[in-house]
Amino acid sequence: DSGVTQTPKHLITATGQRVTLRCSPRSGDLSVYWYQQSLDQGLQFLIQYYNGEERAKGNILERFSAQQFPDLHSELNLSSLELGDSALYFCASSVVGVLGSGANVLTFGAGSRLTVL
Amino acid sequence: AQTVTQSQPEMSVQEAETVTLSCTYDTSENNYYLFWYKQPPSRQMILVIRQEAYKQQNATENRFSVNFQKAAKSFSLKISDSQLGDTAMYFCAFMTTTFQGGSEKLVFGKGTKLTVNP
């Protein structure tokens, strides 16, 4: 158990629908990252939050949004789902941001596998 | 933008032998970190080893070691005494460091699928 909890583990839904993926970071970690892993695109960085605020944005579609709550858990919302959104979505956390530098290590959750039919 | 290239999509090795996975990266930064993550069939991402760019000494973790060549922007992973449990996808990853603002996100290569044969 990495200490990063993601729910649900598996999700099957239809095109056009909306889903929410949830992530609880390791105790003490202030930063949360979301990654998408698909067969043809590898691991793509979507977005990072630090202590409730957006810190960096990567290849995140406009149909996707995320937030980090005061208790530091994060949610990734995916809407108007398309077949191509089927992927494994990882959340990771780290302590980065306290000093802004350091040999920070991202700890990953087990992922949420989304299948869009 | 930083890029990470893993030129070997698949590799195989016999149990107890040694194998080296290649990784090159491109950056204009001077301070950064490099990582190898392992993704077994369970799909969990597991940190194998990390290297700080300012350290000349190559990192080692038990049977895992790296050959870090900063000038060549090369970061290879050597696995000694390979075990069946080492069968996994291995990802090389790059992280920059910034003092204020910015993001310590990881940029990943496409991965190398390693199979350890009995």
Side-chain angles (χ1 to χ4, degrees), chain A residues 12-73:
Chain A
I12 302 174
T13 189
T15 55
Q17 295 298 306
R18 173 190 169 95
V19 298
T20 297
L21 309 180
R22 193 179 192 278
C23 170
S24 294
R26 282 191 325 165
S27 178
D29 286 357
L30 299 178
S31 261
V32 170
Y33 308 76
W34 286 98
Y35 281 83
Q36 179 192 56
Q37 185 179 30
S38 56
L39 284 175
D40 57 344
Q41 293 294 323
L43 277 152
Q44 296 289 316
F45 170 70
L46 295 178
I47 198 164
Q48 177 198 1
Y49 280 84
Y50 167 65
N51 204 19
E53 294 190 4
E54 183 183 304
R55 188 170 172 100
K57 187 176 282 190
N59 301 319
I60 188 167
L61 300 172
E62 286 191 7
R63 301 182 286 107
F64 296 0
S65 64
Q67 55 183 326
Q68 187 179 28
F69 295 86
D71 67 351
L72 300 179
H73 91 272

Side-chain angles (χ1 to χ4, degrees), chain A residues 2 33 35 37 40-41 43 45 48 55-56 88 90 96 99-106 108-110 113, chain B residues 33 35 37 39 42-45 47 50 52 91 95 97-108 110:
Chain A
S2 68
Y33 308 76
Y35 281 83
Q37 185 179 30
D40 57 344
Q41 293 294 323
L43 277 152
F45 170 70
Q48 177 198 1
R55 188 170 172 100
L88 188 56
F90 282 107
V96 67
L99 295 177
S101 67
N104 296 294
V105 173
L106 272 64
F108 284 78
R113 178 170 294 283
Chain B
Y33 300 91
F35 302 82
Y37 276 85
Q39 187 178 40
S42 66
R43 307 295 279 181
Q44 176 75 51
M45 293 291 289
L47 176 69
R50 72 181 184 197
E52 292 90 339
F91 292 95
M95 176 194 284
T97 62
T98 58
F99 275 101
Q100 293 205 353
S103 168
E104 285 89 343
K105 68 179 185 291
L106 283 171
V107 176
F108 286 91
K110 295 286 190 186

